Every structure is written in C-alpha cells, then in structure tokens.
Amino acid sequence: MKHLFLLAIAAALLAGCTTILEQPPERALPKNAGKELTLCRELLMAFLKNNPSEFVELLPEEQRARFDEKKFNSTRGYIVETLGQPISFQYLTSLEFVAVTPHIWKIRFERIDKDKKIIHSEALFRIITGKTSDKEIAILGFNFL
C-alpha cells in the first residue's frame, strides 16, 4: 500500500513536466537532411519550448514584421488552448515544387480532460522553405493543415 501511495505522489509531481521529443528519434530527420530541414527542426523546437524570440529570429526579416513575438504568443496560446501542450514532433515528408519546398511534420499534443485523463492528439504542420532575394535558404511560411 505504501508503494502505491509513493507511486501516486511521483505521478502527480511528474504530471506537470513535459519532455519535448522528436518522435521517434531515429525518424526525426532523414540521414541526408540539409539546411532546409535543419531550419524546420529549429523552428519546431522553438515552438515546443515556447521560445518566441528564437522562433521569430529564424524567420526572414520581412516576415518578422508580420509575425513578431506578440503574434507568436497569441497564436501559440490559441493552439495550446484548443489542442493541448505540444510534446513532440516528427518529420513526415517534403513535397516537390519548382520554387519552394513544403515540409510536412506531425506535432503531438497532450491535454487533460475533465475526468483527469490524459488525451493525445496530432496535427499536421507545414513549413515552406525557399530562397530569399539574396539567394539564402529561409523559412518562407508555416501553418497547421
């Protein structure tokens, strides 16, 4: 009985902790991942860690004017409210286009329902990369699908 009590206390203490994982780690990025996928991964890590300055810093300067830290906070707040806390992500695929490359990722969310049960859900997230006017690879857009 004492062990069950200690287990319940440990579970309660750990329930508030969130570990951010790329899930599963071995499929996080293809072995030949280049700068585009590395940028995408950094953007997702900033999103999961709730780091608006890091997230916005990864965007091209002209995009920062439209999506600043305040916009990040309000957008992420809405997503957390509706889907739960983001806890992991996984790279799925990249699509072939002429001038840009859409990269599709799966983000996993976790929340607690009214009965105190943990609920998981997933959403697809698209990050579009391409070259800026000065020929640098950059994140040109992103959104949930």
Side-chain angles (χ1 to χ4, degrees):
M1 197 63 138
K2 186 178 180 181
H3 295 293
L4 290 175
F5 177 73
L6 292 175
L7 186 60
I9 289 175
L13 290 173
L14 295 174
C17 300
T18 301
T19 302
I20 298 170
L21 297 173
E22 296 175 61
Q23 189 180 30
E26 65 275 5
R27 290 221 30 229
L29 289 177
K31 290 181 179 167
N32 61 347
K35 183 174 181 181
E36 290 178 323
L37 287 178
T38 302
L39 275 172
C40 293
R41 182 188 174 283
E42 290 173 11
L43 190 78
L44 285 164
M45 287 300 294
F47 176 75
L48 267 66
K49 290 180 181 178
N50 194 18
N51 188 334
S53 60
E54 187 177 323
F55 188 95
V56 172
E57 185 64 33
L58 290 166
L59 304 176
E61 191 171 333
E62 60 272 5
Q63 203 172 19
R64 289 182 212 149
R66 294 187 310 271
F67 198 89
D68 57 11
E69 291 184 29
K70 185 177 179 183
K71 182 80 171 175
F72 172 91
N73 288 328
S74 66
T75 302
R76 189 179 189 284
Y78 174 77
I79 291 165
V80 167
E81 185 179 306
T82 56
L83 296 173
Q85 285 292 332
I87 59 168
S88 65
F89 61 85
Q90 180 183 356
Y91 169 76
L92 297 178
T93 192
S94 296
L95 304 176
E96 249 182 83
F97 280 80
V98 176
V100 297
T101 306
H103 307 278
I104 310 301
W105 298 76
K106 176 174 68 172
I107 300 179
R108 186 171 174 87
F109 296 89
E110 180 178 276
R111 61 185 169 90
I112 299 176
D113 71 3
K114 63 181 179 176
D115 298 324
K116 307 291 186 215
K117 291 184 181 178
I118 295 175
I119 296 174
H120 290 104
S121 58
E122 297 175 331
L124 294 177
F125 190 71
R126 175 177 60 182
I127 302 173
I128 301 169
T129 60
K131 292 189 178 179
T132 60
S133 57
D134 57 352
K135 306 292 185 212
E136 290 293 319
I137 293 174
I139 295 169
L140 304 177
F142 51 89
N143 65 305
F144 279 95
L145 300 174

